Amino acid sequence: MLNEFLLSINFGLFVGIFITLFHYRRDGASYSFKKSLIAFVVMVSALSIAIMIATGTIRQISIPHTILAATLLVAVINAKGNVAKLSKPFSK
């Protein structure tokens, strides 16, 4: 029962990550191939995990996975989908 609940939560979290990144608007920001590639890889990964949960490929999930996904979603929402803001502390 807990596992199904965690799977449902994870599905929503990964769809949320994908949607947030998908709806990012540059609004005059400069284009960076590396950062766009990172955003693309994260989007594909998040959507792939959501599809794997929906199709039953992933049947077991743990609380730490859920916490990690929730943390990533909060970070992506806080950055408004801008991967450059997520990587900014590492650019110095």
Side-chain angles (χ1 to χ4, degrees):
M1 182 171 149
L2 176 62
N3 188 53
E4 289 83 13
F5 180 66
L6 290 176
L7 283 170
S8 299
I9 289 175
N10 273 280
F11 177 81
L13 291 171
F14 283 111
V15 168
I17 291 167
F18 174 80
I19 289 172
T20 304
L21 291 173
F22 185 78
H23 285 290
Y24 170 68
R25 296 200 183 268
R26 283 195 306 147
D27 292 330
S30 60
Y31 174 79
S32 170
F33 176 75
K34 290 178 185 178
K35 292 172 185 167
S36 296
L37 182 62
I38 291 169
F40 177 75
V41 169
V42 172
M43 287 173 59
V44 169
S45 299
L47 191 59
S48 296
I49 292 171
I51 290 170
M52 291 169 71
I53 290 171
T55 59
T57 306
I58 296 177
R59 295 185 184 130
Q60 294 284 1
I61 204 85
S62 65
I63 293 173
H65 288 107
T66 307
I67 293 169
L68 184 61
T71 304
L72 180 58
L73 178 60
V74 168
V76 168
I77 289 173
N78 189 37
K80 297 179 180 143
N82 187 354
V83 174
K85 284 186 181 179
L86 295 175
S87 63
K88 195 167 194 161
F90 301 106
S91 64
K92 292 183 180 183

